[in-house]
Amino acid sequence: MKNILLGPNRQVIEEFARSNVLLAFDFDGTLSPIVADPARARMRPTTSRLLNDLAILYPCIVISGRAQADVLGRLDGIPVHGVIGNHGVEPWQASERLAEEVQRWRPLLRKRLSGLPGVRIEDKTLSVAVHYRHSREKKKARAAISEAVRALGDVRVIGGKQVVNVLPKAASDKGAALLEERERLACEKAIYVGDDDTDEDVFALDQPASLLTIRVGAKTGSMASYYVRSQVVVDELLRFLLEMRQRSEARLELPVGR
């Protein structure tokens, strides 16, 4: 995994930026810093301004583990071209059948986990997230959550930063969502930026000619091709993408003969 913002690696972004490319971002830990209370997650003002400017020059989408409506409420009207929620499930797979399956899990998880301090169950209608960031005994909390999730039967489990995400087995993933959006928006290439285990479904697509994958924070074992050092550096990446497209458009506007 290489730092995408160092030296010759920047040329990779330049090549993608000059193409018909889709920009896709995770939200928490990518566009927004990770915070102790997920309900308080917000983009920094600089990130919000940069994303707004990018969405004017590029097709941009957000693919998040949050519910679609939740993400839309945090984008402050930025004109992105699509918001995909629940790890790739919304909007295409959203259905009463999936919602009913997820709702059956809630009392089962609550019964098994209610006695654990610092563990919180977040119901996102089409998936469930079990947070243990505030637990003082994280190893014990993780073991209890794993046991409770196994009791649900045949489900899909995605790890995360002090969170366990549970989805129906048949649920879509972020990789499938990215490919769907790239086709819908008629883009030849895509750049995806994410920071967590749930983003590995995109990183694992392994399409180097048409997909540039960037992880926020280097991690051994990640399938991403490149990384940026931290969430704060995401602004630098957005700024660079903006400059590349502005330069490209400026060259196109030069009078003939110059």
Side-chain angles (χ1 to χ4, degrees):
M1 193 185 299
K2 304 173 184 177
N3 188 330
I4 193 65
L5 293 174
L6 285 184
N9 297 333
R10 289 184 174 233
Q11 295 175 6
V12 178
I13 305 181
E14 291 183 30
E15 291 175 8
F16 271 78
R18 286 196 295 266
S19 70
N20 177 19
V21 64
L22 169 66
L23 303 186
F25 305 95
D26 176 38
F27 189 79
D28 293 86
T30 301
L31 293 174
S32 167
I34 295 289
V35 293
D37 180 1
R40 300 176 68 87
R42 292 289 185 278
M43 290 184 287
R44 290 185 300 276
T46 52
T47 308
S48 183
R49 287 195 296 271
L50 287 165
L51 182 62
N52 185 79
D53 292 344
L54 282 172
I56 295 170
L57 297 177
Y58 295 88
C60 293
I61 62 172
V62 177
I63 308 179
S64 174
R66 290 178 180 268
Q68 185 184 47
D70 186 352
V71 181
L72 283 166
R74 296 171 196 277
L75 288 176
D76 301 324
I78 293 173
V80 296
H81 291 64
V83 173
I84 295 86
N86 272 293
H87 307 279
V89 175
E90 290 180 292
W92 310 291
Q93 275 195 318
S95 68
E96 287 187 12
R97 182 183 63 79
L98 283 187
E100 288 170 359
E101 181 178 352
V102 172
Q103 293 314 301
R104 286 196 297 270
W105 303 341
R106 188 168 55 182
L108 299 174
L109 291 171
R110 189 186 300 117
K111 181 179 179 181
R112 287 176 172 265
L113 300 174
S114 60
L116 287 174
V119 173
R120 183 175 68 85
I121 301 169
E122 181 186 3
D123 179 6
K124 296 183 283 188
T125 305
L126 296 167
S127 71
V128 170
V130 185
H131 301 268
Y132 58 95
R133 180 174 299 276
H134 295 292
S135 172
R136 294 184 178 181
E137 298 182 89
K138 290 183 171 53
K139 185 175 180 180
K140 178 181 177 182
R142 284 195 301 270
I145 294 167
S146 295
E147 184 178 348
V149 169
R150 282 196 297 271
L152 299 178
D154 196 16
V155 298
R156 186 155 71 89
V157 181
I158 307 173
K161 294 177 178 175
Q162 301 184 68
V163 62
V164 176
N165 301 286
V166 189
L167 297 89
K169 191 70 173 180
S172 186
D173 60 44
K174 287 188 174 186
L178 177 68
L179 297 179
E180 182 81 19
E181 285 293 276
R182 189 172 67 184
E183 182 177 350
R184 180 180 73 84
L185 294 167
C187 292
E188 298 169 3
K189 299 185 178 185
I191 297 173
Y192 183 80
V193 190
D195 76 303
D196 212 345
D197 291 357
T198 182
D199 301 302
E200 292 294 331
D201 288 321
V202 181
F203 300 156
L205 289 173
D206 191 26
Q207 300 180 0
S210 58
L211 174 60
L212 173 59
T213 55
I214 304 170
R215 192 181 192 282
V216 179
K219 181 182 178 182
T220 302
S222 174
M223 297 295 288
S225 298
Y226 295 89
Y227 74 94
V228 292
R229 290 194 312 274
S230 66
Q231 195 279 326
V232 173
V233 183
V234 169
D235 280 2
E236 183 180 342
L237 174 63
L238 301 185
R239 194 172 289 111
F240 187 68
L241 285 164
L242 189 60
E243 290 171 0
M244 290 302 97
R245 185 52 61 96
Q246 288 171 336
R247 271 191 228 166
S248 178
E249 293 201 347
R251 284 196 296 269
L252 291 174
E253 292 173 0
L254 283 174
V256 176
R258 291 291 296 272

